[in-house]
Amino acid sequence: MFLISLSFAVLEAVAATVQTQNLDTFARGFIERHRIPGAAIVVVKNGAVVKTGAYGIANLELSTPVTDRTVFEIGSMSKQIAAEAIMMLVEQNRVSLDEPLKKYIGEIPEAWNAITLRHLITHTSGLPDWEGRPDFSYRREYTPAQFIGMVSKYPLDFKPGDRFAYTNSAFPLLGVVLERVTGQKYEDFVVEHMFKPAGMTETRFKHPEEIVPNRSGGYIDVKGKLMNGEPLRPTIIAPNGGVMTTAVDMGKWLIALEKGTYLKPATIAQMIT
């Protein structure tokens, strides 16, 4: 399933793409080309929602249509929320982006000593990506030491800071940093300091045993055939892709971010880079 939230530079890029066509037509064409069963969009401009849209099917087994209240697994869109949580700690002078990761997680291997929080948050750490490796399983939980041990079996892809390379191994470590600095579980911190202040009442972290009203199915494309996606998710990777939310709630989050509910304008500008 798919959810698109548009704001800041993203809004300008999409506006340039669809300037000659209706946004609904663009969205429907996009999901058709990419074989996405359904999607919801929200466009925020100048602190207000100016467009919502819902297209296609939320649950293929029940033929349930998507609405702007459909709850999607938003996958790696969750990373921007984790980044914002870390930047809240930066503003509070509780962490510094240029301090070494080792200051906060003492048990990392020596090969990681040059990695800073900035490297993690900007995907310049050189950490190998656990996704696609045979070691990782969605069907178990990992302690921080177990996660670090799994990732550190592989050498760094490059010297920290040398270049950009997207990796799913960085943001779980940011979650561990947040927990050790605040004494709160990552999910509890985000709910208390981000979801509740913005009024995001339909947003939550994925826990497969919970009943979620208006929940969308999660699907993967296997050689042209849509199949149910992985239902489980270890807690440690919640900063990576653990959030479930609606288009309406993502609009609330964008508005709160633009209005400075969470962060100062200078910090938001730094995030956008």
Side-chain angles (χ1 to χ4, degrees):
M1 304 310 296
F2 210 72
L3 184 149
I4 308 170
S5 57
L6 307 177
S7 188
F8 305 115
V10 178
L11 178 60
E12 294 179 7
V14 172
T17 303
V18 300
Q19 60 183 340
T20 60
Q21 59 181 306
N22 179 276
L23 184 54
D24 290 321
T25 302
F26 172 79
R28 291 191 181 98
F30 183 91
I31 68 173
E32 182 177 349
R33 288 193 304 276
H34 295 278
R35 301 189 71 251
I36 297 167
I41 66 171
V42 59
V43 181
V44 171
K45 184 176 181 181
N46 297 328
V49 172
V50 297
K51 170 69 178 177
T52 62
Y55 318 92
I57 303 298
N59 186 293
L60 294 177
E61 294 169 311
L62 302 175
S63 298
T64 307
V66 174
T67 74
D68 59 7
R69 309 298 287 270
T70 296
V71 178
F72 293 90
E73 298 178 33
I74 66 170
S76 286
M77 286 175 64
S78 305
K79 288 184 175 70
Q80 62 190 336
I81 292 170
E84 182 184 331
I86 290 295
M87 296 307 291
M88 292 174 75
L89 299 185
V90 170
E91 284 195 348
Q92 297 166 11
N93 294 317
R94 302 172 77 177
V95 303
S96 170
L97 292 183
D98 295 313
E99 287 175 333
L101 175 62
K102 190 173 183 63
K103 176 177 179 179
Y104 305 100
I105 307 178
E107 64 268 35
I108 63 171
E110 185 176 349
W112 295 8
N113 283 353
I115 296 175
T116 66
L117 300 192
R118 187 182 300 277
H119 292 144
L120 295 177
I121 210 167
T122 59
H123 293 283
T124 57
S125 66
L127 288 171
D129 197 331
W130 56 258
E131 193 168 61
R133 305 272 182 174
D135 317 79
F136 183 82
S137 173
Y138 281 94
R139 295 174 178 256
R140 58 160 289 185
E141 292 292 342
Y142 292 85
T143 65
Q146 289 170 335
F147 181 81
I148 290 167
M150 178 191 66
V151 177
S152 63
K153 288 196 309 184
Y154 303 94
L156 293 177
D157 291 337
F158 52 86
K159 181 181 176 182
D162 270 8
R163 60 186 176 90
F164 170 91
Y166 187 88
T167 174
N168 285 292
S169 299
F171 274 65
L173 298 173
L174 291 172
V176 175
V177 170
L178 183 144
E179 291 186 343
R180 295 192 176 179
V181 169
T182 66
Q184 280 186 281
K185 292 182 178 179
Y186 172 77
E187 293 184 13
D188 292 343
F189 180 93
V190 170
V191 170
E192 178 183 347
H193 295 282
M194 298 169 66
F195 296 166
K196 287 185 177 179
M200 298 167 66
T201 56
E202 296 172 306
T203 303
R204 62 182 72 206
F205 285 90
K206 180 179 179 177
H207 296 287
E209 70 278 6
E210 293 182 352
I211 302 297
V212 180
N214 302 315
R215 182 176 188 163
S216 168
Y219 303 104
I220 56 174
D221 190 325
V222 181
K223 297 180 179 179
K225 183 178 182 180
L226 289 174
M227 307 286 285
N228 285 314
E230 174 57 58
L232 304 181
R233 180 172 292 273
T235 303
I236 198 164
I237 64 171
N240 246 13
V243 174
M244 302 177 66
T245 190
T246 67
V248 169
D249 266 14
M250 282 302 291
K252 293 177 181 178
W253 179 80
L254 290 166
I255 291 168
L257 189 64
E258 287 185 346
K259 288 185 175 179
T261 301
Y262 310 119
L263 299 168
K264 299 173 183 176
T267 305
I268 296 171
Q270 187 176 3
M271 282 183 64
I272 292 172
T273 65

